[in-house]
Amino acid sequence: MGVELTAERRLLSEKEFEQVRRSHYPELEGLPPDETLTLARWLRGERDRARNIIAARRRGRRGKASGTGQQSADASERGLSAKKQVYARALKRVNGRLERFRAERRREIIQANLQDALKRRKEAEPQHPSPGRTPARACARSPAGAGRSKPIRARSGGCRSS
């Protein structure tokens, strides 16, 4: 399943663990959006830094690294890889929280737009007012047009009598 807090504490320094600890459930839910975004940026930077160090070490082992990374090419990357995974899991939790903030904000905007549209619709005059009684309807209801399947079209002179 997941890595326990004690394992994370063992892998990370005190400063790093404080940041990762903030990404766990009870404290993450209490963070405001701006602090959550700052935490996500910090976690992303640390994860990327660990990933770059691991890649440089692998390049050094293959003999493709420049002269600067040669001294660390022999170092084990197991601990650094585990640290990168801790950062990645923390970032996943924080990104989920940020997505909930975004979804909540989108919901508020959509709700406000719907309320505005409803208000405009209630205040607007109808585009097609009721025509009232028209000659075609009058002829269709008259006894002369009662046996017909189609209503008789009105002419300018009124209803046609049969």
Side-chain angles (χ1 to χ4, degrees), residues 63-80:
K64 293 186 173 187
S66 62
T68 58
Q70 288 295 346
Q71 68 274 11
S72 65
D74 296 332
S76 172
E77 61 193 49
R78 186 180 307 158
L80 194 58

Side-chain angles (χ1 to χ4, degrees), residues 13-34:
S13 70
E14 193 61 37
K15 177 188 171 234
E16 293 168 339
F17 178 70
E18 259 321 294
Q19 295 291 338
V20 171
R21 188 181 54 75
R22 291 174 58 204
S23 74
H24 284 281
Y25 167 66
E27 292 170 28
L28 183 60
E29 294 295 321
L31 287 178
D34 55 340

Side-chain angles (χ1 to χ4, degrees), residues 11 32 46 50 64 76 81 92 106-107 125:
L11 288 168
E46 292 298 308
K64 293 186 173 187
S76 172
S81 179
K92 188 174 182 179
R106 277 193 304 265
R107 218 176 351 233
E125 291 184 27

Side-chain angles (χ1 to χ4, degrees), residues 98-112:
L98 286 173
E99 185 55 38
R100 286 192 297 273
F101 282 135
R102 288 185 197 110
E104 184 179 312
R105 181 70 183 131
R106 277 193 304 265
R107 218 176 351 233
E108 289 171 0
I109 290 171
I110 289 170
Q111 188 67 26

